[in-house]
Amino acid sequence: MKMKKVTAVLLAGAMIASMMTGCGSKDSGSDKKAEGKTEDGKTVLKFEAFAGGNGTEIWEKIAEAFEKENPDVDVELHTSSELDKDLQKDFQNGDIPDVVYYNLGQASGFTENMLKEKAIADISDVFDDELKSKLVSGITENAAAQPYGDGKVYLAPIVYTPTGFWYNKTLFEGETKKYDLPETWDDFFALNEQAKANGAALFTYPIAGYFDCPMFQMFAQAGGPEFMNKALNYDKDTWTSKEGKMIIDTIAKLVSPEYTQADTVANAQSKDGFKINQQNVIDGKALFMPNGNWVIGEMVNSTPKEDFEWGMMAPPKFSADQDRYVYTFTEQMWVPADAENLDVAKDFIKFMYSDTVVDLMLANETENKETGEKSPAPIVPPVVGASDQLPEGPIKDTYTLASSEGYEVVSGNWATLETAIDGFDMKATVYGAIDDLNTGAMTVEEYQKQLVDAWARLAENL
């Protein structure tokens, strides 16, 4: 599949939403010497990886494959679902890892703080012309890779994921079809009466934080990449502009009780309740929700094999004559500036784009803990042609959609601040208020004012 160039939204820094959960494991490395060598003289590469929705087995396989191709290197792998806490201890103790897989946008803000401290190494030389020609165009030219906007790459994009509105395809295609997929927001809201007649709500969302990707898409959809770029850099007119007001009004209407499934907020605010909201799409209680393809693995245990098939569409456009935008985010790997084995760490990151790793990631599986049954859960690296190798199905369909005629792909996120604002919570301000719009605890006008005030404070601290 020939991917379109990702429209690069260059910012001072970025946060990419990541909604993964998992369990940790640790290789104690008891036979490793403190100076970074094994007893037989091999270089020890310390690799710390977040244990999330992709599982831990994939990192074990990649580490083993790297050792096989680099027999003078011994990879010491540590995976954890609380990696930020482990990393804090390691850095405090001077036990600096060589390579880290920990995304921007985590609640701890660990990677963002490392960037603010200039504690992440410049790895631009990894992405030479030969490697760049292998990668999806534009994947290293956005702020998730170049957080300082200086043309240098500090965060390696190792996975990329198109996002959109997910639904049960059997309700929109074939003999069981009940609805037509909407093109515009007017079309979308018009489906509500049909949905109600069938005992369903039009919309739900796992938690309010899942509005990050739709909001970024809406910026581009409402005013193009230029408006998106200004909004993400806290332009003072963002929320008072025609485009900004249109986005606020659309979100407020979307999450109103008229359109959103009744238990959405209660579920979203309970432990693991996001899965209940996702299950409501599977069970036909709601038609659409914002998500990424990780939802397939998250819900594999409760997804029926008949009368259900995952589908994803881009959020609707505001007018019929527009092209449509698909927002994609990346997962990142980076090297601490004080890493002991900088050159080997760079070799490891370059290895992440090799045919060997592409094959391993595409062959990834998740296991049903109850039955032990394994299901395909491919991970797609931003390597040209990788998504072509996916089996036919919903995951491949999302990448095909992103490269289809009439669609543009955008990437990027909120600009990172020079100094933190005491007591300010970006996610609560922008996304948390969405729950309040649903319950009536906040009006549309109050939400707009909150955003306008927030953007003024944020702009002062860029």
Side-chain angles (χ1 to χ4, degrees):
M1 174 175 62
K2 182 178 180 182
M3 288 297 299
K4 290 186 178 182
K5 180 179 179 64
V6 176
T7 302
V9 181
L10 297 179
L11 313 174
M15 298 182 293
I16 305 297
S18 176
M19 303 293 175
M20 299 184 293
T21 59
C23 58
S25 65
K26 182 154 186 173
D27 175 356
S28 64
S30 58
D31 64 329
K32 310 294 189 290
K33 292 188 176 181
E35 66 271 22
K37 296 285 185 180
T38 62
E39 292 179 353
D40 57 2
K42 291 184 178 181
T43 297
V44 175
L45 181 79
K46 297 178 181 179
F47 174 31
E48 306 246 5
F50 179 65
N54 295 327
T56 59
E57 187 176 353
I58 183 63
W59 305 117
E60 295 166 1
K61 290 181 177 179
I62 290 172
E64 183 180 347
F66 185 77
E67 289 178 337
K68 186 175 181 180
E69 294 196 15
N70 298 270
D72 57 340
V73 177
D74 194 343
V75 179
E76 181 181 316
L77 171 65
H78 169 215
T79 62
S80 173
S81 61
E82 295 185 330
L83 189 63
D84 58 304
K85 295 178 182 178
D86 295 342
L87 288 170
Q88 287 171 2
K89 292 177 184 177
D90 289 342
F91 278 85
Q92 288 170 359
N93 295 332
D95 186 16
I96 311 299
D98 297 301
V99 179
V100 177
Y101 161 56
Y102 193 67
N103 285 349
L104 293 161
Q106 298 284 3
S108 68
F110 186 88
T111 301
E112 287 85 350
N113 289 330
M114 291 290 288
L115 288 168
K116 289 175 184 176
E117 295 297 324
K118 302 295 177 70
I120 293 180
D122 174 6
I123 54 172
S124 302
D125 54 337
V126 169
F127 298 93
D128 54 25
D129 291 341
E130 181 181 357
L131 180 57
K132 275 192 173 182
S133 67
K134 290 183 60 177
L135 301 183
V136 171
S137 183
I139 201 69
T140 59
E141 277 89 52
N142 59 68
Q146 300 182 19
Y148 304 119
D150 58 0
K152 297 179 180 179
V153 177
Y154 293 82
L155 304 176
I158 59 167
V159 180
Y160 78 122
T161 308
T163 66
F165 281 4
W166 286 71
Y167 59 93
N168 180 0
K169 190 184 287 189
T170 67
L171 297 177
F172 293 85
E173 295 181 8
E175 295 180 358
T176 56
K177 177 180 176 178
K178 293 183 179 179
Y179 313 98
D180 292 322
L181 274 181
E183 289 283 329
T184 66
W185 281 108
D186 286 342
D187 298 335
F188 187 85
F189 289 121
L191 279 179
N192 194 46
E193 292 306 314
Q194 282 182 264
K196 280 185 175 181
N198 291 318
L202 180 65
F203 184 73
T204 189
Y205 54 90
I207 59 173
Y210 273 68
F211 270 86
D212 54 357
C213 296
M215 186 174 285
F216 302 142
Q217 185 271 353
M218 285 181 176
F219 284 140
Q221 195 66 63
E226 183 178 354
F227 177 75
M228 180 180 178
N229 187 42
K230 289 181 178 180
L232 300 185
N233 280 283
Y234 316 123
D235 181 85
K236 64 182 180 61
D237 297 323
T238 296
W239 299 112
T240 55
S241 67
K242 177 185 70 174
E243 295 86 356
K245 186 63 167 61
M246 186 164 56
I247 292 169
I248 290 173
D249 289 343
T250 301
I251 290 174
K253 183 175 181 179
L254 179 62
V255 301
S256 69
E258 173 70 16
Y259 298 99
T260 291
Q261 201 273 336
D263 298 326
T264 293
V265 172
N267 293 333
Q269 295 180 351
S270 65
K271 186 179 186 324
D272 293 331
F274 74 98
K275 287 191 175 182
I276 300 175
N277 287 332
Q278 293 176 171
Q279 187 66 39
N280 282 339
V281 174
I282 294 173
D283 294 342
K285 295 180 181 179
L287 295 190
F288 295 96
M289 67 175 170
N291 228 307
N293 62 36
W294 58 83
V295 70
I296 299 173
E298 285 179 344
M299 306 305 294
V300 65
N301 291 355
S302 60
T303 303
K305 296 186 182 302
E306 296 181 359
D307 301 324
F308 187 90
E309 182 181 356
W310 285 113
M312 188 194 86
M313 73 172 200
K317 51 188 179 179
F318 289 101
S319 63
D321 59 348
Q322 293 178 318
D323 282 347
R324 293 178 76 170
Y325 288 88
V326 176
Y327 178 82
T328 183
F329 69 77
T330 60
E331 297 174 23
Q332 305 92 31
M333 188 174 282
W334 45 272
V335 177
D338 293 333
E340 182 175 1
N341 299 301
L342 182 62
D343 289 339
V344 181
K346 289 180 178 180
D347 289 342
F348 186 84
I349 287 179
K350 196 162 190 174
F351 181 67
M352 290 299 300
Y353 305 106
S354 67
D355 292 343
T356 299
V357 172
V358 169
D359 290 343
L360 288 172
M361 293 176 82
L362 290 175
N364 190 52
E365 295 179 320
T366 56
E367 183 175 337
N368 186 318
K369 294 180 180 179
E370 296 178 0
T371 66
E373 180 183 4
K374 289 192 173 184
S375 301
I379 307 166
V380 183
V383 174
V384 172
S387 62
D388 290 345
Q389 301 175 51
L390 291 168
E392 297 300 323
I395 293 179
K396 185 173 185 177
D397 290 346
T398 65
Y399 291 90
T400 302
L401 174 72
S403 63
S404 298
E405 188 69 27
Y407 288 81
E408 296 292 338
V409 174
V410 287
S411 185
N413 213 296
W414 308 123
T416 297
L417 304 179
E418 181 69 25
T419 55
I421 302 174
D422 187 37
F424 178 76
D425 187 331
M426 183 70 168
K427 290 183 178 179
T429 300
V430 180
Y431 310 127
I434 289 172
D435 286 343
D436 293 334
L437 289 172
N438 174 275
T439 63
M442 179 176 285
T443 66
V444 177
E445 292 74 22
E446 289 169 338
Y447 183 47
Q448 182 183 26
K449 184 179 186 304
Q450 179 167 292
L451 293 174
V452 170
D453 292 345
W455 257 235
R457 296 178 67 191
L458 291 161
E460 291 174 356
N461 289 272
L462 269 178

